[in-house]
């Protein structure tokens, strides 16, 4: 994952973490699905970014 994408996803995760839990969970689900579709679960950056989620989804 390039640094631009990494920073974009990290910012989106931080913004979702700051929202209401119901809305945040839906945003995090979308982010997780996109990360996995684009980079796969074996990518170390994807693993780290998913661990930054405030809520379990």
């Amino acid at each position: 994952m390039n640094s631009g994408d990494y920073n974009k996803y990290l910012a989106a995760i931080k913004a979702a973490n700051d929202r209401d839990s119901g809305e945040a969970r839906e945003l995090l689900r979308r982010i997780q699905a996109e990360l996995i579709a684009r980079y796969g679960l074996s990518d170390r950056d994807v693993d780290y970014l998913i661990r930054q989620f405030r809520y379990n989804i």
Side-chain angles (χ1 to χ4, degrees):
M1 174 182 309
N2 67 46
S3 62
D5 287 347
Y6 177 86
N7 290 328
K8 177 184 84 169
Y9 284 113
L10 185 58
I13 290 165
K14 287 180 179 182
N17 284 339
D18 291 339
R19 294 184 179 222
D20 168 326
S21 66
E23 187 178 333
R25 289 174 195 264
E26 181 56 34
L27 289 170
L28 292 171
R29 272 189 206 99
R30 290 180 195 168
I31 293 168
Q32 181 182 37
E34 186 174 325
L35 282 168
I36 293 169
R38 289 184 76 184
Y39 302 103
L41 283 173
S42 61
D43 187 288
R44 296 169 88 186
D45 290 331
V46 170
D47 179 58
Y48 176 79
L49 289 169
I50 290 173
R51 286 187 283 125
Q52 300 310 301
F53 290 9
R54 176 174 292 163
Y55 304 102
N56 291 325
I57 55 169

